[in-house]
């Protein structure tokens, strides 16, 4: 489409918008009727550790939403010479899990507790045993139950519990709903009914400490909707919140909000059985759409969630991925600046990360740990970052950068061993997206070595989750009754270009050698947590 055609579509209100709240960036992607991105906007932010809890303030959340939208609106004006006033549809997504609790007057009861917190171990363990189903520490129900177990004063006043995307959707539409993929990280889903598991809700409500509460669980959770179902429309208040200029018209249909796992599946065309995707950024998770249920529950190691249209998915999730090497690259940037030189951020990343391709296959024996926060996958309730090496190890820049990339996938590999080795899960394709894959070839090559299988990246991988959310919005108004997987195949990815990298045996062997050292050194990391 040329600029004039795109401008006409925007003016006619045919473009669809997706906004995603990621861990370090809120991003908006506007797409045309051909589902291609035509404008973007962003707002950078960072979570804060306040009183031992990882959080974002309400002011940050709402300011970030408005600033991101304004940035996208400016991009539209500069590229196409028109003011954005109407949309065909829109949707909001965000990092999954966490805890936002409100009373009957819609007042926030406690600061937002994000997925990053590892403060719900007791609740996670007890609920996993009660349901015989994995309830990771990140899940919303674990946060709610932990608050009950700790006898926090606010729990008796709970009238509504939701996630970040559910909260934003509520503010925009007045509807207390969420998409089934996001809901599957709130409470277990029954894939037959495409709703919360009724038997498990009954078990939860029957707990003695829950019986003392003035609420029933089902009454305080958001309603569950699947992809393609109408989830309300933009209210006048919602339009005013989103667009501070007052140009945006109310009445725009919204699809169900979703978690970043669901939008990642859509953006990588991974909603069909035996497809998988790896989302790697601040956190990292691999998801595989299952042919059948797993043989047993793996508690905090493997999540069971769903696609945005309700198919069962196994998720191996690690809290820490690129955060630590981001800090190292920032430090190297300061070194360059101190020496009187200036290098653009993107070039600095590309040059430093690319050195990993010339490193020793096993990183020369170097062993860093990137646990900025706790890591349930390996049993850490708190995080520490350390760097280990023996005197005889080959300490070079290339080995250092390769070790940082390998350690970013160490906790993830722990979970994938369960799926591949214990459960014999089969996958036909594994597609990567997220910041880990931004540097050409490096991310794919390292991920393929760690996963021991071919990994692909689509040309649209850079747009990621917000583009996936925009596609879900488009599917709401353009799906024409097709199954989501069929619509994606036929309308979005039929001619998509992708790059696929198969692992070389020397890289697999190198990662395995690194991973052996990684596991052997975990007691050292545990000692750091206990003593530092």
């Amino acid at each position: 489409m040329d600029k004039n055609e795109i401008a006409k579509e925007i003016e006619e209100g045919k473009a669809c918008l997706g906004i995603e709240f990621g861990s370090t960036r809120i991003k908006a992607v506007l797409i045309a009727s051909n589902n291609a991105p035509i404008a973007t906007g962003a707002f950078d932010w960072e979570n804060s550790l306040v009183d031992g809890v990882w959080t974002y303030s309400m002011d940050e959340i709402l300011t970030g939403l408005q600033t991101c939208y304004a940035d996208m609106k400016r991009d539209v004006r500069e590229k196409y010479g028109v003011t954005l006033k109407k949309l065909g549809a829109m949707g909001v997504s965000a990092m999954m899990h966490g805890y936002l609790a409100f009373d009957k007057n819609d007042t926030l009861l406690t600061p937002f507790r994000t997925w990053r917190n590892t403060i719900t171990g007791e609740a996670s363990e007890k609920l996993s045993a009660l349901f015989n189903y994995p309830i990771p520490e990140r899940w919303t129900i674990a946060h709610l139950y932990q608050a009950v177990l700790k006898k926090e004063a606010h729990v008796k006043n709970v009238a509504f519990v939701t996630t970040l995307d559910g909260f934003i959707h509520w503010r925009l539409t007045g509807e207390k709903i969420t998409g089934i993929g996001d809901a599957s990280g709130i409470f277990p889903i029954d894939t037959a009914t495409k709703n919360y598991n009724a038997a498990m809700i009954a078990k939860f409500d029957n707990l003695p400490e829950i019986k003392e509460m003035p609420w029933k669980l089902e009454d305080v959770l958001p309603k569950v909707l699947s992809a393609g179902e109408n989830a309300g429309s933009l209210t006048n208040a919602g339009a005013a919140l989103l667009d501070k200029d007052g140009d945006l018209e109310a009445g725009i249909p919204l699809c169900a909000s979703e978690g970043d796992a669901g939008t990642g599946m859509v953006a990588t065309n991974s909603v069909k059985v035996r497809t998988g995707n790896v989302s790697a950024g601040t956190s990292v998770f691999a998801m595989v759409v299952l042919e059948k249920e797993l043989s047993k529950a793996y508690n905090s190691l493997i999540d069971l969630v769903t696609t945005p249209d309700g198919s069962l998915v196994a998720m191996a999730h690690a809290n820490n991925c690129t955060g630590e090497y981001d800090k190292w690259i920032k430090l190297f940037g300061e070194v360059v600046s101190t020496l009187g030189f200036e290098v653009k951020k993107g070039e600095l990343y590309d040059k430093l990360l690319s050195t990993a391709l010339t490193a020793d296959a096993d990183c020369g024996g170097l062993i860093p740990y990137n646990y900025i926060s706790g890591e349930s996958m390996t049993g850490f309730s708190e995080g520490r970052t350390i760097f280990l090496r023996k005197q005889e190890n080959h300490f070079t820049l290339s080995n250092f950068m390769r070790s940082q990339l390998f350690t970013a996938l160490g906790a993830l590999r722990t979970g994938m061993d369960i799926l591949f080795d214990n459960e014999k899960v089969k996958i036909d394709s594994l597609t990567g997206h997220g910041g880990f894959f931004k540097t050409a070839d490096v991310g794919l090559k390292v991920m393929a070595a760690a996963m021991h299988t071919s990994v692909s990246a689509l040309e649209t991988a850079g747009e990621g989750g917000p583009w996936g959310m925009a596609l879900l919005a488009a599917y709401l108004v353009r799906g024409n009754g097709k199954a989501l997987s069929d619509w994606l195949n036929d309308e979005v990815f039929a001619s998509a270009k992708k790059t696929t990298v198969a692992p070389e045996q020397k890289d697999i062997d190198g990662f395995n050698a690194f991973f052996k050292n990684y596991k052997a050194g975990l007691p050292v990391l545990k000692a750091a947590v206990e003593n530092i």
Side-chain angles (χ1 to χ4, degrees), residues 352-421:
L352 287 174
L353 293 176
S354 293
T355 64
L357 299 181
T358 62
D360 297 332
D362 66 349
C363 310
L366 308 184
I367 320 169
Y369 291 95
N370 66 332
Y371 291 13
I372 292 175
S373 65
E375 192 59 76
S376 302
M377 189 71 76
T378 48
F380 285 81
S381 60
E382 292 183 44
R384 297 290 186 274
T385 62
I386 61 176
F387 178 73
L388 297 175
R389 67 183 181 93
K390 293 180 180 179
Q391 184 60 32
E392 64 267 24
N393 290 152
H394 195 192
F395 189 20
T396 65
L397 177 63
S398 61
N399 279 338
F400 181 81
M401 294 312 304
R402 188 177 181 91
S403 70
Q404 290 291 338
L405 287 163
F406 273 10
T407 201
L409 306 179
L412 175 68
R413 182 66 221 187
T414 303
M416 297 308 291
D417 281 348
I418 293 171
L419 295 181
F420 291 152
D421 298 341

Side-chain angles (χ1 to χ4, degrees), residues 201-214:
I201 283 184
K203 285 184 177 182
F204 184 84
D205 283 339
N206 201 42
L207 289 167
E209 54 271 33
I210 299 301
K211 283 184 175 181
E212 295 177 6
M213 296 296 117

